[in-house]
Amino acid sequence: QVQLVESGGGLVQAGGSLRLSCGASRSIFSTNVMGWYRQPSGKQREWVAAIFSSGTTNYADSVKGRFTISRDNAKNTVYLQMNSLKFEDTAVYYCFAGKGLGSLADYWGQGTQVTVSS
């Protein structure tokens, strides 16, 4: 049963932009928080951004000012607009949803690869 579906990853040059999408079933979209983690090859998964049902957004310091998370309630979709991409943004990006971050995340997408060439 597929519940979170990501799209939008790909290969981009440093300084470029990509937009990731995460489509969710209505029941998941109504959870407290949705957002993104990423996992660079050979490294631990790290939190990137989150948007709460209230509309409040939070970002990791490493992406603040470059990434923007948003949601379209009509489409049950969360987006991650990534601008001024850097080589170190290269990772598999995972969408999540649930009561909170980390262990409180109840649902995960399959991941989408983002590769930034230097």
Side-chain angles (χ1 to χ4, degrees):
Q1 181 180 359
V2 177
Q3 296 177 312
L4 289 174
V5 180
E6 302 123 328
S7 62
L11 174 64
V12 64
Q13 288 187 331
S17 299
L18 282 175
R19 188 177 79 159
L20 305 183
S21 301
C22 176
S25 61
R26 179 177 295 182
S27 59
I28 293 177
F29 198 73
S30 63
T31 55
N32 181 49
V33 59
M34 293 185 68
W36 299 86
Y37 276 76
R38 67 186 181 186
Q39 187 166 18
S41 180
K43 298 183 179 180
Q44 290 187 331
R45 190 174 296 191
E46 61 184 16
W47 170 70
V48 175
I51 184 165
F52 293 82
S53 55
S54 64
T56 299
T57 58
N58 286 326
Y59 300 92
D61 287 342
S62 59
V63 306
K64 200 171 295 183
R66 300 187 297 120
F67 291 10
T68 302
I69 190 170
S70 62
R71 59 193 295 160
D72 185 331
N73 293 334
K75 296 182 178 180
N76 292 346
T77 299
V78 170
Y79 302 99
L80 185 68
Q81 178 66 43
M82 305 184 294
N83 298 329
S84 302
L85 283 161
K86 304 176 181 180
F87 175 76
E88 50 265 39
D89 294 319
T90 297
V92 177
Y93 284 70
Y94 295 92
C95 178
F96 77 93
K99 296 180 288 296
L101 307 183
S103 61
L104 296 178
D106 299 307
Y107 306 98
W108 292 91
Q110 80 285 358
T112 185
Q113 176 71 45
V114 172
T115 303
V116 184
S117 62
S118 58

